[in-house]
Amino acid sequence: KLVLAAFQQYQPDRVEVLRDSEGHSRACAFVYFYTQEDLQAAVLDMDGSTLAGRPISVEPILPEAEP
């Protein structure tokens, strides 16, 4: 919920938080966007900001090319 709330203004499609085998957050999440424009705005605005007092890195991940 915290990550979704932080990115809400960029209209994310969904958020996936990585968790360990006990269900605890691994401090890593993937945020998916409907548009490239929303993705770019989130990267520009959020990269280097803080979330819950911790610095965050926001980088786009491009799909791998098919062989």
Side-chain angles (χ1 to χ4, degrees):
K1 292 181 182 181
L2 183 64
V3 176
L4 179 59
F7 285 86
Q8 196 63 46
Q9 72 186 60
Y10 308 103
Q11 303 176 5
D13 175 23
R14 70 184 189 278
V15 173
E16 294 179 6
V17 177
L18 298 182
R19 301 194 178 276
D20 64 18
S21 60
E22 296 179 3
H24 299 104
S25 170
R26 296 183 58 203
C28 182
F30 294 97
V31 182
Y32 298 86
F33 298 92
Y34 289 107
T35 68
Q36 190 70 23
E37 292 80 15
D38 290 336
L39 166 65
Q40 291 171 345
V43 170
L44 288 172
D45 294 347
M46 299 294 289
D47 188 41
S49 65
T50 59
L51 184 60
R54 298 178 68 178
I56 63 171
S57 174
V58 181
E59 301 176 11
I61 298 176
L62 303 175
E64 293 182 22
E66 294 191 27

